[in-house]
């Protein structure tokens, strides 16, 4: 946004100015657009400064001084995840930037932007939000600096941090600042965090619980015998026995609802004190304990406020925000978005926009609780769904207004494809629940798993004139899907475009239990249904499973077993990912502390094996791409170290060849192509083809036979799929 645009709108100033690390795309999938439209609907003038040059304060003065406050966001992703790979290497592109240009945002963008806006206009309140601020709200392990960092409130010096679904808190904060309230006095809004002097409490009715009371049971007193006579106490003297009867207190029998209401009342005035920043940065056990307590206090129905000391100050976290009701979700998504990137980007290609321009977000939140993912910590475990009419309206809007729409909606989804309108059977049970997942270790008996509302939505969406195809691109919770064969049939028959991506993430129970993912048997069950319904529909369709390498809990043996499973099932994966320890995820706690926060944490509690060294992580990743010659040297070395040299050879039962012409062939060709910028020359191919297998020492020094003639390679099932060549952009 520019001054000229402000003038065209007749604005002499903005009430709120948002600074974001993403390109400005006016669509509800982008945080800054959603917040901007939401505040605009409340009557405020909102300016947006997108991807400013952070080297000086000048670009932050572009729209003048905001009347109420600065709103700072790193964008839709944490800036460190956005800028660095899982191997801590700088990325060469940025999906949220025009033409995917890298380096348009700084490392730790929330902190850097907050510093610059203070320099630009000192004294204006600073409010930070977005996933980066949200997931760094307490002391947290930071993978990129390999240390525990303080809450982002300290580094950014922000006045207020808004975490989770921010709509309610934002509107409330804005109204109160506009009404003249000092931001430093706004201390009672759910979903906000701020710094206070150590020991501060909102009022004298509040009490403090040490976090160990949440996690570790205290001394257990023996039950008094209700039939015991005072005289039975032989040690008691007659004088004591003769004491007057204590005052009789009536026993009040409360209903479950009354008990829950009383507990809620008490919880509302209780703060749980976590171990301090200084303690968790030095003691991994206390870090894991703090992480566990933090996650146990995440249900808006029963979560208490949290407090954590950093030196002589406390970070105070109010209870998480209440989820939005369906009509509130509709209001947010029905706001008048332009549904386009800002016109100043011209024809620039913005990958994140291309990905979602024909897709519709139907819900928020996830009750899966996968430990490597932070969606639950950010969006919550309670599913917030839009109404059917609101979703159908958006599809029609895409049909009528989105450029180049050819009739295909690329996704009707959210964090998970098939949690739309699923919830706990009873509100009161949900409000008192402290489980970390509704579907792990088993699907909770209180969870409603009826997919009929989603099926109905798919059917109505397909019937919209001008819509030829509705695809489902969001990840599927397949253990849940198999509870509704009708849903799987609907999905497979109408909504799969040849390939369906699903994420078992691993095959081995040890690792899956650390991920809080279902066993591979659930995948097999879904696969059977998928194949059956594909045949019935007369369609040739395939499942593409996704896996994570080097996840905490995954040993070399686990990765080897996964590779053997892939080989047995003839999967040759191209895209694989290595575990990235993102802030606040439970798996990150395992990575950093080697403790399992899914259970009570003590000095002696379970140790979680974790691949931490670059070499081990590389070897784990190589197992997922066992078929690629570039990975064979490290796999041979690892297999020999594991005592599994028997898997090296050129037979069908081997995982990697002892030697194979294609290994050198592939390397030479790739190298030459790189150097010459084109295809290899015929003589180079001939040279490689003419080379004969020769005796070479096997890894580990053992004699290896001359490599057998390679057996005929089975094509990967993925290679049998005909895909359209990608259109080349001009
Ligand atoms: S009782 Fe079960 S379904 Fe309900 S919130 Fe808890 S885990 Fe989820």
């Amino acid at each position: 946004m520019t001054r000229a645009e402000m003038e065209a709108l007749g604005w002499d100033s903005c009430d709120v100015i948002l600074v974001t690390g993403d390109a400005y795309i006016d669509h509800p999938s982008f945080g800054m657009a959603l917040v901007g439209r939401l505040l605009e609907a409340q009557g405020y003038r909102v300016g947006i400064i997108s991807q400013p040059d952070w080297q000086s304060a000048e670009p932050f003065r572009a729209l003048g001084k905001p009347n109420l406050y600065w709103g700072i966001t790193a964008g839709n992703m944490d800036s460190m995840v956005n800028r660095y790979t899982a191997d801590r290497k700088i990325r060469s592109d940025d999906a949220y930037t025009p033409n995917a240009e890298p380096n348009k945002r700084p490392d730790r963008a929330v902190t850097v932007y907050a510093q610059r806006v203070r320099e630009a206009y000192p004294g204006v309140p600073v409010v930070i939000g977005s996933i980066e601020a949200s997931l760094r709200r307490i002391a947290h392990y930071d993978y990129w600096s390999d240390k525990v960092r303080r809450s982002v409130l300290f580094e950014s010096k922000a006045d207020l941090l808004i975490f989770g679904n921010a709509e309610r808190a934002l509107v409330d904060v804005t109204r109160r600042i506009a009404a003249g309230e000092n931001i430093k006095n706004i201390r009672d809004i759910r979903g906000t965090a701020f710094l206070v002097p150590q020991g501060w409490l909102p009022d004298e009715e509040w009490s403090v619980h040490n976090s160990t009371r949440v996690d570790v049971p205290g001394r257990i007193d023996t039950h008094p015998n209700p039939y015991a006579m005072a005289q039975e106490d032989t040690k008691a003297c007659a004088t004591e026995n003769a004491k007057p009867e204590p005052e009789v207190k009536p026993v009040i029998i409360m209903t479950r609802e009354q008990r829950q209401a009383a507990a809620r009342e008490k919880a509302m005035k209780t703060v749980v004190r976590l171990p301090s920043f200084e303690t968790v940065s030095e003691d991994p056990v206390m870090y894991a304990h703090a992480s566990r307590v933090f996650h146990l206090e995440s249900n808006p129905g029963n979560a208490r406020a949290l407090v954590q000391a950093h030196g002589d100050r406390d970070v105070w976290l109010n209870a998480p925000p209440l989820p939005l009701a369906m009509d509130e979700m509709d209001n947010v998504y029905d706001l008048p978005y332009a549904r386009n990137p800002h016109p100043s980007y011209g024809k620039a290609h913005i990958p994140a926009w291309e990905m979602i321009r024909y897709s519709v977000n139907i819900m928020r939140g996830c009750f899966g609780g996968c430990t490597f993912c932070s969606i639950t910590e950010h969006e919550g475990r309670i599913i917030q769904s839009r109404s059917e009419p609101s979703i159908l309206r958006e599809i029609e809007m895409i049909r009528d207004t989105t450029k180049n729409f050819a009739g295909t909606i690329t996704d009707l989804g959210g964090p998970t494809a098939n949690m739309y309108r699923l919830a706990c059977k009873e509100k009161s049970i949900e409000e008192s629940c402290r489980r970390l997942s509704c579907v792990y270790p088993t699907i909770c008996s209180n969870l409603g798993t009826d997919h009929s509302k989603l099926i109905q939505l798919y059917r109505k969406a397909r019937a919209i004139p001008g819509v030829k195809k509705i695809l489902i691109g969001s990840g599927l919770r397949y253990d849940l899907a198999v509870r509704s064969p009708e849903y799987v049939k609907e999905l497979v028959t109408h909504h799969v475009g040849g390939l369906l991506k699903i994420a078992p993430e691993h095959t081995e129970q040890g690792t899956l239990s650390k991920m809080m993912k279902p066993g591979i048997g659930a995948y097999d069950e879904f696969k059977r249904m998928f194949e059956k319904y594909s045949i019935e529909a007369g369609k040739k369709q395939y499942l593409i499973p996704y896996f994570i390498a080097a996840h905490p809990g995954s040993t070399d043996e686990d990765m080897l077993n996964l590779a053997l499973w892939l080989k047995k099932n003839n999967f040759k994966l191209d895209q694989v990912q290595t575990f990235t320890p993102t802030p606040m995820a439970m798996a990150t706690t395992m990575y950093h502390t080697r403790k399992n926060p899914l259970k009570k944490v003590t000095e002696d509690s379970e140790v979680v094996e974790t691949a931490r060294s670059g070499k081990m992580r590389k070897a784990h990743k190589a197992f997922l791409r066992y078929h690629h010659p570039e990975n064979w040297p490290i796999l041979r070395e690892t297999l020999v170290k594991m005592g599994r040299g028997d898997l090296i050879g050129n037979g069908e039962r081997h995982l990697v060849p002892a030697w194979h012409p294609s290994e050198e062939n592939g390397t030479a060709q790739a190298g030459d192509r790189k150097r010459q910028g084109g295809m290899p020359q015929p003589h180079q191919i001939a040279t490689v083809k003419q080379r004969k297998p020769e005796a070479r020492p096997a890894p580990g020094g053992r004699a290896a036979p001359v490599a057998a003639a390679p057996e005929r390679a089975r094509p990967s099932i993925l290679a049998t799929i005909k895909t359209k060549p990608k259109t080349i952009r001009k």
Side-chain angles (χ1 to χ4, degrees), residues 381 423-425 429-430 433 435 437-438 444-447:
R381 195 152 47 90
C424 191
K425 281 176 189 161
I429 297 178
E430 181 184 83
C433 177
R435 266 180 69 155
S437 166
C438 299
C444 176
S445 56
N446 287 320
L447 183 68

Side-chain angles (χ1 to χ4, degrees), residues 221-279:
D221 295 322
T222 48
H223 283 283
N225 178 358
Y227 307 108
M229 307 291 287
Q231 287 85 341
E232 284 175 10
D233 185 356
T234 49
K235 286 187 194 140
C237 68
T239 341
E240 275 173 7
N241 279 336
K243 263 188 180 172
E245 283 288 307
E247 193 190 334
V248 178
K249 284 191 183 160
V251 175
I252 300 167
I253 298 175
M254 294 165 94
T255 62
R256 196 176 75 170
E257 285 70 29
Q258 285 171 323
R259 279 201 311 277
Q260 284 172 344
R264 259 201 306 280
E265 182 93 348
K266 198 168 172 223
M268 279 169 62
K269 294 266 180 178
T270 305
V271 62
V272 176
R273 181 166 284 280
L274 299 172
S276 68
F277 159 71
E278 288 75 14
T279 305

